[in-house]
Amino acid sequence: MVVQRTLAIIKPDAVKRGLTGEILSRIHAAGFHIVAIRSQRLTQKDAEGFYAVHRDRPFFRDLVEFMTSGKLVVIALEADNAISKWRDTMGATDPAKAAPGTIRKDLGTSIQNNCTHGSDAPQTAAFEISYFFTASDLA
Ligand code: ATP
Ligand code: MG
């Protein structure tokens, strides 16, 4: 077991549907510690930079539009094996393929509108956490 940090986002679809509390409850129930949390709206530039790895994918424009469509909640989470643990808590990208009891299965409505984001590796977690939080936010 290794204590890790990961970046979670409650995406605009979930915030608009009033699911922030439900998702935070699941985060606590799963045993994560919230290191930092903020509600904000992304600019187009913010969203393009955050998802730069996907810039050549056919869904990139729609994804940027979606992620800038309303407020979201960015959260730095800490736990043993936080990166895989949070991805397990979220479930597969496509809610239709996600396991029962996961956030995306229970609350997601489409492969795009899947309620949450999670970092996928230690390097991306470090990049993504620093994209939103300063060292003093994380102290
Ligand atoms: P995230 O990075 O948001 O945690 P993920 O790692 O499960 O999700 P990625 O492949 O990184 O999946 O895709 C990033 C996001 O882009 C997805 O969460 C989803 O919102 C959107 N997306 C992915 N694939 C598609 C697709 N085929 N059509 C539309 N949107 C998609
Ligand atoms: Mg991803």
Side-chain angles (χ1 to χ4, degrees):
M1 290 287 204
V2 51
V3 177
Q4 283 179 330
R5 290 181 177 180
T6 191
L7 187 85
I9 299 178
I10 304 176
K11 294 182 179 180
D13 59 326
V15 173
K16 278 186 194 152
R17 290 165 61 215
L19 296 172
T20 300
E22 166 72 26
I23 293 169
L24 289 174
S25 293
R26 289 179 184 231
I27 285 171
H28 287 299
F32 292 98
H33 170 61
I34 292 178
V35 180
I37 182 166
R38 184 170 65 248
S39 166
Q40 73 175 77
R41 187 158 182 162
L42 299 187
T43 64
Q44 183 165 326
K45 225 174 174 177
D46 291 334
E48 287 172 352
F50 183 74
Y51 276 127
V53 64
H54 293 314
R55 65 182 168 268
D56 297 327
R57 306 283 284 277
F59 57 81
F60 182 68
R61 281 287 131 222
D62 287 345
L63 178 59
V64 169
E65 193 179 322
F66 166 55
M67 292 297 283
T68 57
S69 66
K71 284 277 188 86
L72 43 70
V73 180
V74 287
I75 314 165
L77 294 177
E78 189 172 83
D80 286 334
N81 297 321
I83 295 170
S84 62
K85 181 180 164 79
W86 175 236
R87 289 186 71 89
D88 290 346
T89 306
M90 292 196 298
T93 309
D94 183 352
K97 295 180 184 152
T102 60
I103 290 170
R104 285 165 164 174
K105 178 69 172 185
D106 292 348
L107 306 175
T109 55
S110 71
I111 192 167
Q112 177 183 263
N113 293 18
N114 57 7
C115 294
T116 51
H117 163 84
S119 310
D120 60 11
Q123 275 173 316
T124 46
F127 166 75
E128 292 178 358
I129 290 169
S130 69
Y131 202 80
F132 289 107
F133 297 110
T134 64
S136 69
D137 291 334
L138 299 164

PDB file of all heavy atoms in Angstrom, residues 2-32:
ATOM      1  N   VAL A   2       0.525   2.196  -0.847  1.00  0.00           N
ATOM      2  CA  VAL A   2       1.273   3.448  -0.876  1.00  0.00           C
ATOM      3  C   VAL A   2       0.273   4.605  -0.855  1.00  0.00           C
ATOM      4  O   VAL A   2      -0.713   4.578  -1.585  1.00  0.00           O
ATOM      5  CB  VAL A   2       2.212   3.500  -2.105  1.00  0.00           C
ATOM      6  CG1 VAL A   2       1.483   3.174  -3.378  1.00  0.00           C
ATOM      7  CG2 VAL A   2       2.903   4.839  -2.221  1.00  0.00           C
ATOM      8  N   VAL A   3       0.540   5.568   0.048  1.00  0.00           N
ATOM      9  CA  VAL A   3      -0.352   6.729   0.114  1.00  0.00           C
ATOM     10  C   VAL A   3      -0.110   7.587  -1.117  1.00  0.00           C
ATOM     11  O   VAL A   3       1.019   7.942  -1.432  1.00  0.00           O
ATOM     12  CB  VAL A   3      -0.119   7.550   1.404  1.00  0.00           C
ATOM     13  CG1 VAL A   3      -1.010   8.793   1.410  1.00  0.00           C
ATOM     14  CG2 VAL A   3      -0.406   6.705   2.626  1.00  0.00           C
ATOM     15  N   GLN A   4      -1.191   7.851  -1.850  1.00  0.00           N
ATOM     16  CA  GLN A   4      -1.109   8.630  -3.079  1.00  0.00           C
ATOM     17  C   GLN A   4      -2.151   9.743  -3.052  1.00  0.00           C
ATOM     18  O   GLN A   4      -3.128   9.672  -2.310  1.00  0.00           O
ATOM     19  CB  GLN A   4      -1.501   7.759  -4.284  1.00  0.00           C
ATOM     20  CG  GLN A   4      -0.475   6.790  -4.755  1.00  0.00           C
ATOM     21  CD  GLN A   4      -1.004   5.981  -5.939  1.00  0.00           C
ATOM     22  OE1 GLN A   4      -2.200   5.729  -6.062  1.00  0.00           O
ATOM     23  NE2 GLN A   4      -0.104   5.573  -6.803  1.00  0.00           N
ATOM     24  N   ARG A   5      -1.935  10.702  -3.956  1.00  0.00           N
ATOM     25  CA  ARG A   5      -2.960  11.714  -4.209  1.00  0.00           C
ATOM     26  C   ARG A   5      -3.426  11.601  -5.656  1.00  0.00           C
ATOM     27  O   ARG A   5      -2.644  11.217  -6.536  1.00  0.00           O
ATOM     28  CB  ARG A   5      -2.409  13.111  -3.952  1.00  0.00           C
ATOM     29  CG  ARG A   5      -2.177  13.356  -2.471  1.00  0.00           C
ATOM     30  CD  ARG A   5      -1.651  14.741  -2.186  1.00  0.00           C
ATOM     31  NE  ARG A   5      -1.511  14.931  -0.746  1.00  0.00           N
ATOM     32  CZ  ARG A   5      -1.079  16.046  -0.177  1.00  0.00           C
ATOM     33  NH1 ARG A   5      -0.744  17.082  -0.935  1.00  0.00           N
ATOM     34  NH2 ARG A   5      -0.994  16.135   1.144  1.00  0.00           N
ATOM     35  N   THR A   6      -4.677  11.933  -5.878  1.00  0.00           N
ATOM     36  CA  THR A   6      -5.227  11.913  -7.229  1.00  0.00           C
ATOM     37  C   THR A   6      -6.161  13.106  -7.387  1.00  0.00           C
ATOM     38  O   THR A   6      -6.639  13.667  -6.403  1.00  0.00           O
ATOM     39  CB  THR A   6      -5.969  10.585  -7.507  1.00  0.00           C
ATOM     40  OG1 THR A   6      -6.266  10.486  -8.902  1.00  0.00           O
ATOM     41  CG2 THR A   6      -7.269  10.458  -6.710  1.00  0.00           C
ATOM     42  N   LEU A   7      -6.395  13.500  -8.639  1.00  0.00           N
ATOM     43  CA  LEU A   7      -7.345  14.585  -8.873  1.00  0.00           C
ATOM     44  C   LEU A   7      -8.692  14.010  -9.291  1.00  0.00           C
ATOM     45  O   LEU A   7      -8.782  13.237 -10.251  1.00  0.00           O
ATOM     46  CB  LEU A   7      -6.875  15.545  -9.968  1.00  0.00           C
ATOM     47  CG  LEU A   7      -7.837  16.743 -10.032  1.00  0.00           C
ATOM     48  CD1 LEU A   7      -7.452  17.802  -9.009  1.00  0.00           C
ATOM     49  CD2 LEU A   7      -7.942  17.344 -11.407  1.00  0.00           C
ATOM     50  N   ALA A   8      -9.710  14.411  -8.555  1.00  0.00           N
ATOM     51  CA  ALA A   8     -11.093  14.085  -8.919  1.00  0.00           C
ATOM     52  C   ALA A   8     -11.778  15.369  -9.368  1.00  0.00           C
ATOM     53  O   ALA A   8     -11.473  16.451  -8.864  1.00  0.00           O
ATOM     54  CB  ALA A   8     -11.828  13.506  -7.709  1.00  0.00           C
ATOM     55  N   ILE A   9     -12.677  15.239 -10.331  1.00  0.00           N
ATOM     56  CA  ILE A   9     -13.542  16.368 -10.705  1.00  0.00           C
ATOM     57  C   ILE A   9     -14.986  15.879 -10.701  1.00  0.00           C
ATOM     58  O   ILE A   9     -15.281  14.803 -11.245  1.00  0.00           O
ATOM     59  CB  ILE A   9     -13.200  16.925 -12.109  1.00  0.00           C
ATOM     60  CG1 ILE A   9     -11.767  17.446 -12.163  1.00  0.00           C
ATOM     61  CG2 ILE A   9     -14.178  18.043 -12.497  1.00  0.00           C
ATOM     62  CD1 ILE A   9     -11.348  17.981 -13.545  1.00  0.00           C
ATOM     63  N   ILE A  10     -15.844  16.656 -10.076  1.00  0.00           N
ATOM     64  CA  ILE A  10     -17.289  16.461 -10.248  1.00  0.00           C
ATOM     65  C   ILE A  10     -17.656  17.345 -11.435  1.00  0.00           C
ATOM     66  O   ILE A  10     -17.539  18.567 -11.385  1.00  0.00           O
ATOM     67  CB  ILE A  10     -18.071  16.830  -8.971  1.00  0.00           C
ATOM     68  CG1 ILE A  10     -17.545  16.022  -7.779  1.00  0.00           C
ATOM     69  CG2 ILE A  10     -19.570  16.577  -9.194  1.00  0.00           C
ATOM     70  CD1 ILE A  10     -18.198  16.383  -6.435  1.00  0.00           C
ATOM     71  N   LYS A  11     -18.023  16.701 -12.544  1.00  0.00           N
ATOM     72  CA  LYS A  11     -18.186  17.404 -13.826  1.00  0.00           C
ATOM     73  C   LYS A  11     -19.488  18.198 -13.867  1.00  0.00           C
ATOM     74  O   LYS A  11     -20.404  17.968 -13.063  1.00  0.00           O
ATOM     75  CB  LYS A  11     -18.141  16.378 -14.966  1.00  0.00           C
ATOM     76  CG  LYS A  11     -16.780  15.688 -15.113  1.00  0.00           C
ATOM     77  CD  LYS A  11     -16.781  14.713 -16.299  1.00  0.00           C
ATOM     78  CE  LYS A  11     -15.430  14.055 -16.471  1.00  0.00           C
ATOM     79  NZ  LYS A  11     -15.416  13.102 -17.615  1.00  0.00           N
ATOM     80  N   PRO A  12     -19.603  19.137 -14.824  1.00  0.00           N
ATOM     81  CA  PRO A  12     -20.774  20.026 -14.859  1.00  0.00           C
ATOM     82  C   PRO A  12     -22.125  19.305 -14.923  1.00  0.00           C
ATOM     83  O   PRO A  12     -23.117  19.807 -14.383  1.00  0.00           O
ATOM     84  CB  PRO A  12     -20.544  20.868 -16.126  1.00  0.00           C
ATOM     85  CG  PRO A  12     -19.069  20.898 -16.292  1.00  0.00           C
ATOM     86  CD  PRO A  12     -18.599  19.533 -15.836  1.00  0.00           C
ATOM     87  N   ASP A  13     -22.184  18.137 -15.566  1.00  0.00           N
ATOM     88  CA  ASP A  13     -23.474  17.418 -15.629  1.00  0.00           C
ATOM     89  C   ASP A  13     -23.943  17.057 -14.231  1.00  0.00           C
ATOM     90  O   ASP A  13     -25.122  17.241 -13.880  1.00  0.00           O
ATOM     91  CB  ASP A  13     -23.375  16.165 -16.522  1.00  0.00           C
ATOM     92  CG  ASP A  13     -22.318  15.153 -16.069  1.00  0.00           C
ATOM     93  OD1 ASP A  13     -21.273  15.574 -15.544  1.00  0.00           O
ATOM     94  OD2 ASP A  13     -22.543  13.937 -16.248  1.00  0.00           O
ATOM     95  N   ALA A  14     -23.021  16.583 -13.389  1.00  0.00           N
ATOM     96  CA  ALA A  14     -23.385  16.166 -12.033  1.00  0.00           C
ATOM     97  C   ALA A  14     -23.696  17.381 -11.150  1.00  0.00           C
ATOM     98  O   ALA A  14     -24.646  17.342 -10.364  1.00  0.00           O
ATOM     99  CB  ALA A  14     -22.248  15.342 -11.442  1.00  0.00           C
ATOM    100  N   VAL A  15     -22.902  18.445 -11.287  1.00  0.00           N
ATOM    101  CA  VAL A  15     -23.161  19.652 -10.480  1.00  0.00           C
ATOM    102  C   VAL A  15     -24.555  20.190 -10.810  1.00  0.00           C
ATOM    103  O   VAL A  15     -25.351  20.486  -9.909  1.00  0.00           O
ATOM    104  CB  VAL A  15     -22.067  20.719 -10.727  1.00  0.00           C
ATOM    105  CG1 VAL A  15     -22.427  22.030 -10.033  1.00  0.00           C
ATOM    106  CG2 VAL A  15     -20.709  20.212 -10.232  1.00  0.00           C
ATOM    107  N   LYS A  16     -24.870  20.288 -12.123  1.00  0.00           N
ATOM    108  CA  LYS A  16     -26.184  20.826 -12.541  1.00  0.00           C
ATOM    109  C   LYS A  16     -27.336  19.981 -12.024  1.00  0.00           C
ATOM    110  O   LYS A  16     -28.419  20.500 -11.759  1.00  0.00           O
ATOM    111  CB  LYS A  16     -26.270  20.863 -14.077  1.00  0.00           C
ATOM    112  CG  LYS A  16     -25.613  22.068 -14.668  1.00  0.00           C
ATOM    113  CD  LYS A  16     -25.848  22.120 -16.177  1.00  0.00           C
ATOM    114  CE  LYS A  16     -24.898  23.131 -16.783  1.00  0.00           C
ATOM    115  NZ  LYS A  16     -24.531  22.874 -18.152  1.00  0.00           N
ATOM    116  N   ARG A  17     -27.121  18.687 -11.920  1.00  0.00           N
ATOM    117  CA  ARG A  17     -28.189  17.788 -11.470  1.00  0.00           C
ATOM    118  C   ARG A  17     -28.260  17.676  -9.949  1.00  0.00           C
ATOM    119  O   ARG A  17     -29.022  16.869  -9.424  1.00  0.00           O
ATOM    120  CB  ARG A  17     -27.996  16.399 -12.113  1.00  0.00           C
ATOM    121  CG  ARG A  17     -28.289  16.420 -13.623  1.00  0.00           C
ATOM    122  CD  ARG A  17     -27.764  15.172 -14.314  1.00  0.00           C
ATOM    123  NE  ARG A  17     -28.370  13.969 -13.800  1.00  0.00           N
ATOM    124  CZ  ARG A  17     -27.736  12.789 -13.663  1.00  0.00           C
ATOM    125  NH1 ARG A  17     -26.468  12.673 -14.005  1.00  0.00           N
ATOM    126  NH2 ARG A  17     -28.368  11.757 -13.198  1.00  0.00           N
ATOM    127  N   GLY A  18     -27.465  18.457  -9.225  1.00  0.00           N
ATOM    128  CA  GLY A  18     -27.530  18.458  -7.766  1.00  0.00           C
ATOM    129  C   GLY A  18     -26.918  17.222  -7.135  1.00  0.00           C
ATOM    130  O   GLY A  18     -27.316  16.815  -6.037  1.00  0.00           O
ATOM    131  N   LEU A  19     -25.907  16.638  -7.822  1.00  0.00           N
ATOM    132  CA  LEU A  19     -25.321  15.389  -7.334  1.00  0.00           C
ATOM    133  C   LEU A  19     -24.010  15.586  -6.563  1.00  0.00           C
ATOM    134  O   LEU A  19     -23.373  14.601  -6.171  1.00  0.00           O
ATOM    135  CB  LEU A  19     -25.073  14.441  -8.523  1.00  0.00           C
ATOM    136  CG  LEU A  19     -26.347  13.984  -9.245  1.00  0.00           C
ATOM    137  CD1 LEU A  19     -25.988  13.211 -10.525  1.00  0.00           C
ATOM    138  CD2 LEU A  19     -27.195  13.119  -8.329  1.00  0.00           C
ATOM    139  N   THR A  20     -23.620  16.844  -6.315  1.00  0.00           N
ATOM    140  CA  THR A  20     -22.342  17.092  -5.628  1.00  0.00           C
ATOM    141  C   THR A  20     -22.317  16.407  -4.261  1.00  0.00           C
ATOM    142  O   THR A  20     -21.341  15.725  -3.910  1.00  0.00           O
ATOM    143  CB  THR A  20     -22.101  18.608  -5.482  1.00  0.00           C
ATOM    144  OG1 THR A  20     -22.065  19.181  -6.791  1.00  0.00           O
ATOM    145  CG2 THR A  20     -20.798  18.901  -4.766  1.00  0.00           C
ATOM    146  N   GLY A  21     -23.372  16.578  -3.475  1.00  0.00           N
ATOM    147  CA  GLY A  21     -23.409  15.984  -2.131  1.00  0.00           C
ATOM    148  C   GLY A  21     -23.342  14.471  -2.174  1.00  0.00           C
ATOM    149  O   GLY A  21     -22.614  13.844  -1.394  1.00  0.00           O
ATOM    150  N   GLU A  22     -24.091  13.888  -3.086  1.00  0.00           N
ATOM    151  CA  GLU A  22     -24.097  12.413  -3.240  1.00  0.00           C
ATOM    152  C   GLU A  22     -22.688  11.903  -3.571  1.00  0.00           C
ATOM    153  O   GLU A  22     -22.225  10.903  -3.011  1.00  0.00           O
ATOM    154  CB  GLU A  22     -25.091  12.044  -4.359  1.00  0.00           C
ATOM    155  CG  GLU A  22     -24.999  10.627  -4.893  1.00  0.00           C
ATOM    156  CD  GLU A  22     -25.526   9.588  -3.920  1.00  0.00           C
ATOM    157  OE1 GLU A  22     -26.367   9.923  -3.087  1.00  0.00           O
ATOM    158  OE2 GLU A  22     -25.059   8.432  -4.018  1.00  0.00           O
ATOM    159  N   ILE A  23     -22.008  12.592  -4.467  1.00  0.00           N
ATOM    160  CA  ILE A  23     -20.665  12.145  -4.873  1.00  0.00           C
ATOM    161  C   ILE A  23     -19.669  12.362  -3.737  1.00  0.00           C
ATOM    162  O   ILE A  23     -18.830  11.488  -3.458  1.00  0.00           O
ATOM    163  CB  ILE A  23     -20.249  12.818  -6.193  1.00  0.00           C
ATOM    164  CG1 ILE A  23     -21.149  12.290  -7.322  1.00  0.00           C
ATOM    165  CG2 ILE A  23     -18.772  12.572  -6.501  1.00  0.00           C
ATOM    166  CD1 ILE A  23     -21.051  13.035  -8.645  1.00  0.00           C
ATOM    167  N   LEU A  24     -19.775  13.487  -3.010  1.00  0.00           N
ATOM    168  CA  LEU A  24     -18.887  13.699  -1.852  1.00  0.00           C
ATOM    169  C   LEU A  24     -19.136  12.629  -0.783  1.00  0.00           C
ATOM    170  O   LEU A  24     -18.190  12.146  -0.151  1.00  0.00           O
ATOM    171  CB  LEU A  24     -19.084  15.100  -1.270  1.00  0.00           C
ATOM    172  CG  LEU A  24     -18.546  16.249  -2.133  1.00  0.00           C
ATOM    173  CD1 LEU A  24     -18.930  17.594  -1.514  1.00  0.00           C
ATOM    174  CD2 LEU A  24     -17.029  16.166  -2.295  1.00  0.00           C
ATOM    175  N   SER A  25     -20.401  12.235  -0.589  1.00  0.00           N
ATOM    176  CA  SER A  25     -20.699  11.165   0.374  1.00  0.00           C
ATOM    177  C   SER A  25     -20.006   9.869  -0.026  1.00  0.00           C
ATOM    178  O   SER A  25     -19.461   9.157   0.824  1.00  0.00           O
ATOM    179  CB  SER A  25     -22.199  10.871   0.424  1.00  0.00           C
ATOM    180  OG  SER A  25     -22.872  11.949   0.942  1.00  0.00           O
ATOM    181  N   ARG A  26     -20.028   9.568  -1.323  1.00  0.00           N
ATOM    182  CA  ARG A  26     -19.376   8.340  -1.791  1.00  0.00           C
ATOM    183  C   ARG A  26     -17.860   8.427  -1.598  1.00  0.00           C
ATOM    184  O   ARG A  26     -17.209   7.427  -1.292  1.00  0.00           O
ATOM    185  CB  ARG A  26     -19.731   8.074  -3.253  1.00  0.00           C
ATOM    186  CG  ARG A  26     -21.184   7.649  -3.423  1.00  0.00           C
ATOM    187  CD  ARG A  26     -21.506   7.425  -4.890  1.00  0.00           C
ATOM    188  NE  ARG A  26     -22.911   7.101  -5.085  1.00  0.00           N
ATOM    189  CZ  ARG A  26     -23.364   6.054  -5.773  1.00  0.00           C
ATOM    190  NH1 ARG A  26     -22.521   5.219  -6.356  1.00  0.00           N
ATOM    191  NH2 ARG A  26     -24.655   5.844  -5.920  1.00  0.00           N
ATOM    192  N   ILE A  27     -17.302   9.628  -1.793  1.00  0.00           N
ATOM    193  CA  ILE A  27     -15.861   9.832  -1.588  1.00  0.00           C
ATOM    194  C   ILE A  27     -15.509   9.540  -0.120  1.00  0.00           C
ATOM    195  O   ILE A  27     -14.550   8.825   0.173  1.00  0.00           O
ATOM    196  CB  ILE A  27     -15.470  11.269  -2.006  1.00  0.00           C
ATOM    197  CG1 ILE A  27     -15.451  11.363  -3.542  1.00  0.00           C
ATOM    198  CG2 ILE A  27     -14.136  11.689  -1.394  1.00  0.00           C
ATOM    199  CD1 ILE A  27     -15.293  12.782  -4.092  1.00  0.00           C
ATOM    200  N   HIS A  28     -16.312  10.058   0.795  1.00  0.00           N
ATOM    201  CA  HIS A  28     -16.049   9.812   2.219  1.00  0.00           C
ATOM    202  C   HIS A  28     -16.268   8.336   2.564  1.00  0.00           C
ATOM    203  O   HIS A  28     -15.464   7.737   3.270  1.00  0.00           O
ATOM    204  CB  HIS A  28     -16.932  10.713   3.081  1.00  0.00           C
ATOM    205  CG  HIS A  28     -16.497  12.140   3.073  1.00  0.00           C
ATOM    206  ND1 HIS A  28     -15.263  12.550   3.516  1.00  0.00           N
ATOM    207  CD2 HIS A  28     -17.127  13.262   2.660  1.00  0.00           C
ATOM    208  CE1 HIS A  28     -15.149  13.852   3.378  1.00  0.00           C
ATOM    209  NE2 HIS A  28     -16.267  14.310   2.856  1.00  0.00           N
ATOM    210  N   ALA A  29     -17.343   7.769   2.049  1.00  0.00           N
ATOM    211  CA  ALA A  29     -17.659   6.367   2.372  1.00  0.00           C
ATOM    212  C   ALA A  29     -16.553   5.430   1.894  1.00  0.00           C
ATOM    213  O   ALA A  29     -16.287   4.398   2.514  1.00  0.00           O
ATOM    214  CB  ALA A  29     -18.994   5.974   1.749  1.00  0.00           C
ATOM    215  N   ALA A  30     -15.905   5.802   0.789  1.00  0.00           N
ATOM    216  CA  ALA A  30     -14.832   4.955   0.254  1.00  0.00           C
ATOM    217  C   ALA A  30     -13.529   5.122   1.032  1.00  0.00           C
ATOM    218  O   ALA A  30     -12.570   4.390   0.802  1.00  0.00           O
ATOM    219  CB  ALA A  30     -14.617   5.272  -1.223  1.00  0.00           C
ATOM    220  N   GLY A  31     -13.482   6.109   1.931  1.00  0.00           N
ATOM    221  CA  GLY A  31     -12.309   6.264   2.799  1.00  0.00           C
ATOM    222  C   GLY A  31     -11.258   7.233   2.298  1.00  0.00           C
ATOM    223  O   GLY A  31     -10.124   7.202   2.777  1.00  0.00           O
ATOM    224  N   PHE A  32     -11.607   8.103   1.350  1.00  0.00           N
ATOM    225  CA  PHE A  32     -10.651   9.122   0.898  1.00  0.00           C
ATOM    226  C   PHE A  32     -10.602  10.281   1.887  1.00  0.00           C
ATOM    227  O   PHE A  32     -11.623  10.637   2.501  1.00  0.00           O
ATOM    228  CB  PHE A  32     -11.065   9.691  -0.468  1.00  0.00           C
ATOM    229  CG  PHE A  32     -10.957   8.721  -1.593  1.00  0.00           C
ATOM    230  CD1 PHE A  32     -12.078   8.019  -2.039  1.00  0.00           C
ATOM    231  CD2 PHE A  32      -9.744   8.498  -2.228  1.00  0.00           C
ATOM    232  CE1 PHE A  32     -11.993   7.115  -3.083  1.00  0.00           C
ATOM    233  CE2 PHE A  32      -9.642   7.603  -3.277  1.00  0.00           C
ATOM    234  CZ  PHE A  32     -10.772   6.907  -3.711  1.00  0.00           C
TER     235      PHE A  32
END
